[in-house]
């Protein structure tokens, strides 16, 4: 093969591409319902947006960025995540002074991280997520967490997912906790992995994130983050638990959840899928509250934020593994089968009439085919109806419409074809509505 995709990147084709668009449209509707509006930000930013003065020790920033000098010798990076870019856009465009608070945004697009490719881990991948910016409120944090759950419900991922939740104490408490962790890990450090040795120096909290079995045993016995909460923080954690119980969200308090990025404080969470695919791909999304990032990026000090991002490829894997997953069928409604050149002419004009009327997908070949080949094509397209136009039909100024599910067919005058199509769609819609009514309503989604 002359050209293949680069290592760690992939083409999404056929059903995968179709499902990605379905996921985007379903989750966008959800975001709209919660009052979030879309934002589109650049893929490239100045490297300093991610490598800020307040050193970020995350792997994402220290090891994984795609960074290069442009022709003007400026250091540019491909976005490894959205949060910093979205906040930059809010501040650059002074959205916080022009719009009512909170500013609530959703986004979707590619991110780039130079990671070792493996299941569910790519160098170019896609995220969809939200950011909400306002003065701090635990209710806004909860709104964002619940919006992520609503998106998963919308995708029918309701039964296997759960949310891992933790609360990172504020500066004072965190300082004391970090000291306690350092004291605890110091005598063991020699036998711990290289990453942990580095994290001990740069951000000891992130030792809790270590996946090495031997280190995990030590981490289990490490000081508990909850022992360092203030009374107010303890109350917030209780409120979080109460709301999640009330909303019937499956959750687990995980005191070792610190997330891979350095900007979090307060509520942090990850969405995980509790089955074999979930084990394979890791968390499907995560996020949390950030208290000083807005200010660090040049915004006002009273504004904080909260958000999450889902990894689209991981969502897709879980979505397609659902026991009731159905690839989208019947995408083409009408497959036209002209059996001679004149038939092509008639079909072309009918196809254009139908297409201009609205969302009634149809297809036609521009070369004459046999009836058998035309019906095979219609079946491959999973069309609902074949519209046959042969010599006889041309003479009578009609088309023959064949219902490909029942096999019945009828003659329809060319002049009244559009009326026929409209009444057919109305009939189908009524039937779908009746079928839907008969079904028992399902939990949360309704
Ligand atoms: P993150 O946990 O680094 O958070 O990434 C969010 C999600 O992106 C992950 O849960 C995962 O599904 C997906 N992901 C990350 N890296 C890869 C990869 N190499 N290949 C495939 N999928 C991947 C953030 O990015 C934060 N900005 C989330 C956030 C928003 N926090 C606050 N607001």
């Amino acid at each position: 093969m002359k050209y293949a995709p680069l290592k760690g990147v992939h083409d999404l084709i056929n059903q995968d591409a179709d499902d990605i668009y379905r996921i985007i449209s379903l989750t966008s509707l959800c975001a709209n319902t919660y009052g979030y509006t879309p934002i589109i930000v650049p893929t490239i930013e100045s490297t300093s947006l991610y490598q800020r003065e307040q050193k970020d020790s995350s792997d994402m920033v220290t090891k994984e960025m795609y960074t290069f000098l442009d022709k003007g010798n400026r250091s540019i990076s491909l976005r490894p995540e959205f949060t910093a870019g979205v906040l930059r856009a809010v501040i650059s465009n002074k959205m916080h002074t022009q719009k009512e608070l909170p500013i609530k945004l959703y986004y979707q697009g590619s991110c780039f991280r130079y990671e070792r490719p493996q299941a569910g881990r790519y160098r170019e991948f896609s995220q969809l997520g939200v950011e909400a910016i306002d003065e701090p409120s635990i209710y806004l944090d909860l709104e964002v967490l619940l919006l992520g759950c609503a998106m998963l419900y919308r995708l029918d991922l309701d039964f296997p997912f759960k949310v891992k939740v933790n609360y990172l104490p504020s500066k004072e408490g965190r300082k004391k906790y970090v000291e306690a962790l350092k004291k605890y890990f110091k005598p063991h450090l020699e036998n711990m992995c290289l990453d942990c040795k580095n994290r001990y120096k740069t951000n000891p909290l992130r030792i809790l994130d270590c996946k090495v079995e031997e280190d995990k045993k030590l981490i289990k016995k490490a000081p508990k983050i909850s022992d360092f909460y203030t009374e107010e923080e303890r109350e917030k954690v209780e409120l979080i638990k109460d709301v999640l119980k009330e909303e019937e969200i499956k959750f687990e308090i995980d005191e070792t959840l610190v997330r891979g990025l350095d900007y979090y404080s307060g509520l942090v969470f990850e969405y995980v899928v509790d089955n074999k695919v979930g084990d394979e791909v890791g968390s499907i999304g995560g996020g949390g509250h950030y208290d000083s990032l807005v200010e660090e990026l040049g915004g006002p000090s009273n504004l904080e934020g909260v958000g999450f991002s889902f990894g689209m490829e991981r969502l897709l894997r879980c979505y397609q593994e659902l026991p009731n997953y159905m690839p989208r069928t019947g995408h083409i409604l009408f497959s036209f089968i002209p059996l001679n050149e004149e038939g092509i002419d008639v079909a072309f004009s009918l196809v254009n009439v139908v297409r201009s009327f609205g969302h009634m997908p149809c297809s036609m070949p521009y070369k004459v085919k046999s009836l058998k080949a035309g019906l095979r094509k219609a079946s491959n397209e999973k069309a609902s109806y074949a519209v046959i136009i042969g010599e006889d039909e041309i003479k009578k100024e009609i088309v023959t419409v064949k219902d490909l599910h029942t096999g019945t067919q009828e003659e329809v005058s060319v002049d009244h074809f559009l009326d026929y199509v409209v009444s057919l769609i109305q009939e189908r819609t009524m039937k779908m509505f009746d079928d839907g009514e008969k079904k028992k309503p399902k939990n949360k989604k309704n």
Side-chain angles (χ1 to χ4, degrees):
M1 207 167 310
K2 198 165 176 190
Y3 296 110
L6 297 176
K7 189 173 173 186
V9 307
H10 56 286
D11 303 308
L12 285 166
I13 59 169
N14 299 334
Q15 195 58 45
D16 288 348
D18 201 20
D19 284 341
I20 287 281
Y21 274 96
R22 191 151 37 151
I23 290 172
I24 294 170
S25 80
L26 290 171
T27 50
S28 307
L29 275 177
C30 242
N32 288 148
T33 313
Y34 276 66
Y36 288 67
T37 52
I39 184 163
I40 300 170
V41 291
T43 316
I44 53 172
E45 296 276 0
S46 160
T47 302
S48 59
L49 178 70
Y50 306 108
Q51 279 174 354
R52 293 177 294 276
E53 273 162 35
Q54 224 158 335
K55 284 261 179 287
D56 191 317
S57 67
S58 66
D59 290 350
M60 185 194 83
V61 170
T62 54
K63 302 186 199 156
E64 295 166 1
M65 293 231 290
Y66 276 89
T67 296
F68 58 95
L69 288 180
D70 73 0
K71 290 191 171 131
N73 240 10
R74 287 167 287 250
S75 182
I76 305 283
S77 290
L78 300 184
R79 73 177 162 230
E81 58 127 21
F82 272 88
T83 311
V86 169
L87 293 190
R88 200 268 312 129
V90 167
I91 297 161
S92 308
N93 293 289
K94 300 191 176 63
M95 287 171 78
H96 55 290
T97 61
Q98 290 159 5
K99 285 185 84 166
E100 280 299 319
L101 294 173
I103 297 167
K104 305 207 292 189
L105 302 164
Y106 72 89
Y107 51 80
Q108 161 274 317
S110 279
C111 294
F112 304 82
R113 295 184 193 176
Y114 194 84
E115 295 197 75
R116 190 197 297 269
Q118 50 183 278
R121 193 169 292 284
Y122 306 100
R123 289 183 176 168
E124 179 176 0
F125 60 99
S126 214
Q127 282 190 343
L128 71 84
V130 311
E131 308 297 334
I133 295 129
D134 200 353
E135 287 175 14
S137 158
I138 188 66
Y139 288 100
L140 186 59
D141 295 349
L142 281 164
E143 171 185 299
V144 166
L145 186 155
L146 292 177
L147 170 55
C149 298
M151 288 180 173
L152 295 175
Y153 284 131
R154 186 53 73 215
L155 297 175
D156 271 338
L157 282 165
D158 42 359
F159 76 91
F161 91 84
K162 74 172 173 197
V163 194
K164 285 189 180 177
V165 178
N166 196 13
Y167 196 94
L168 306 178
S170 63
K171 287 192 181 85
E172 217 24 62
R174 189 183 312 206
K175 208 168 139 206
K176 286 191 190 139
Y177 182 48
V178 168
E179 277 161 18
L181 282 180
K182 282 184 101 165
K183 194 166 162 205
Y184 168 79
F185 284 118
K186 195 170 180 188
H188 305 288
L189 207 55
E190 210 177 314
N191 301 319
M192 294 180 80
C193 74
L194 186 63
D195 276 341
C196 281
K197 286 185 181 120
N198 288 333
R199 287 167 182 160
Y200 184 86
K201 286 185 222 145
T202 54
N203 184 354
L205 257 190
R206 294 216 34 246
I207 295 180
L208 302 179
D209 220 11
C210 182
K211 303 287 179 281
V212 176
E213 278 312 316
E214 282 307 302
D215 295 350
K216 271 164 71 176
K217 285 181 203 154
L218 280 173
I219 291 165
K220 255 193 184 151
K221 294 185 194 141
K224 297 271 166 282
I225 206 163
S226 50
D227 291 335
F228 295 80
Y229 291 157
T230 61
E231 199 43 45
E232 197 187 331
E233 287 167 339
R234 216 173 288 285
E235 279 168 19
K236 281 189 185 158
V237 174
E238 286 313 307
L239 176 71
I240 292 165
K241 288 201 243 173
D242 287 348
V243 169
L244 293 179
K245 277 185 206 148
E246 200 179 305
E247 294 298 317
E248 295 176 35
I249 305 291
K250 226 201 282 174
F251 74 98
E252 173 194 319
I253 299 287
D254 178 352
E255 292 204 19
T256 64
L257 180 73
V258 288
R259 308 265 308 123
L261 303 160
D262 280 359
Y263 47 62
Y264 295 108
S265 71
L267 177 63
V268 286
F269 52 89
E270 273 182 8
Y271 302 97
V272 292
V273 172
D274 225 354
N275 60 21
K276 143 176 144 297
V277 187
D279 291 347
E280 214 179 282
V281 300
S283 76
I284 51 174
H289 182 99
Y290 35 88
D291 59 357
S292 51
L293 193 55
V294 178
E295 187 182 9
E296 249 182 73
L297 298 180
S301 59
N302 62 326
L303 293 188
E304 303 190 4
V306 52
F308 67 76
S309 308
F310 283 119
M312 197 95 85
E313 290 78 2
R314 297 186 190 183
L315 267 189
L316 177 72
R317 261 310 302 284
C318 297
Y319 182 65
Q320 293 182 337
E321 284 295 322
L322 282 171
N324 53 352
Y325 166 72
M326 293 251 285
R328 188 149 40 181
T329 53
H331 189 58
I332 291 291
L333 204 52
F334 300 100
S335 185
F336 283 73
I337 311 179
L339 300 176
N340 55 30
E341 289 298 334
E342 237 180 299
I344 292 190
D345 211 40
V346 176
F348 192 62
S349 104
L350 289 182
V351 159
N352 285 330
V353 169
V354 174
R355 283 182 181 153
S356 64
F357 190 73
H359 186 73
M360 290 188 240
C362 37
S363 74
M364 68 166 289
Y366 296 122
K367 292 268 174 294
V368 172
K369 288 193 177 187
S370 69
L371 181 60
K372 195 172 160 201
L375 287 171
R376 195 183 322 119
K377 176 173 172 284
S379 156
N380 288 340
E381 290 173 335
K382 301 194 168 55
S384 301
Y385 302 93
V387 184
I388 302 157
I389 313 171
E391 212 174 301
D392 216 28
E393 281 83 4
I394 303 273
K395 247 189 250 150
K396 290 165 54 190
E397 296 189 1
I398 54 147
V399 296
T400 300
V401 180
K402 184 176 169 101
D403 183 324
L404 294 172
H405 295 297
T406 62
T408 55
Q409 56 183 53
E410 57 188 315
E411 294 183 348
V412 181
S413 124
V414 168
D415 286 346
H416 295 117
F417 186 69
L418 186 60
D419 298 335
Y420 169 80
V421 167
V422 170
S423 62
L424 200 67
I425 301 299
Q426 277 169 349
E427 227 174 82
R428 279 168 64 103
T429 314
M430 288 307 290
K431 186 165 180 318
M432 267 163 51
F433 186 71
D434 282 352
D435 291 349
E437 286 288 286
K438 276 178 215 144
K439 278 190 198 154
K440 235 177 137 242
K442 270 168 115 189
N443 55 17
K444 297 260 167 205
K445 280 177 298 174
N446 298 295

